[in-house]
Amino acid sequence: TTWAVFMFGGGHFAGAVFKGAEVLVHKTFHCYTVRAKQGGSQGAADNRAGSTHKSAGASLRRYNEMSLIQHVQDITKLWCDRLQACSLIFYRAASGNRSVLFGGKSP
């Protein structure tokens, strides 16, 4: 049985595809996207404020959010054949991050 696991949130991503107990492919990475001691992503803070913050840290977090989304979509596209062969796909993603895995230009 082939199956996959994806975990995505707080700037962290982990994904793997297994055949039984054997790992076929796996990938993890982290980007600085969460506001220190404030919680939540930079995008969420921008939405709350009604405008974008202009600090260097805010710009970096905003850029890293977009980069993280692109990396996740690139990985799912690269693993497309393996994912189609999966009988089970487990995922953990906050509601805002589900659209990255299941929506957008290339779900």
Side-chain angles (χ1 to χ4, degrees):
T1 302
T2 305
W3 55 284
V5 176
F6 289 100
M7 295 178 20
F8 183 43
H12 296 269
F13 171 80
V17 177
F18 299 86
K19 185 163 191 149
E22 178 189 356
V23 177
L24 300 177
V25 290
H26 66 91
K27 182 72 176 174
T28 64
F29 50 85
H30 172 262
C31 292
Y32 169 61
T33 63
V34 176
R35 303 177 76 229
K37 299 181 184 176
Q38 307 263 332
S41 67
Q42 185 62 47
D46 291 344
N47 290 338
R48 275 193 307 273
S51 65
T52 59
H53 300 321
K54 294 180 175 48
S55 71
S59 297
L60 178 62
R61 288 187 295 272
R62 206 173 292 112
Y63 171 81
N64 284 344
E65 278 183 34
M66 299 310 298
S67 177
L68 179 64
I69 289 168
Q70 187 61 50
H71 282 124
V72 170
Q73 289 178 343
D74 290 347
I75 286 171
T76 55
K77 190 182 299 180
L78 184 67
W79 294 358
C80 183
D81 292 338
R82 294 179 190 263
L83 293 174
Q84 288 177 346
C86 289
S87 56
L88 294 169
I89 298 177
F90 298 99
Y91 74 94
R92 183 247 171 229
S95 60
N97 291 325
R98 286 188 184 135
S99 64
V100 175
L101 293 174
F102 302 111
K105 296 176 188 170
S106 55

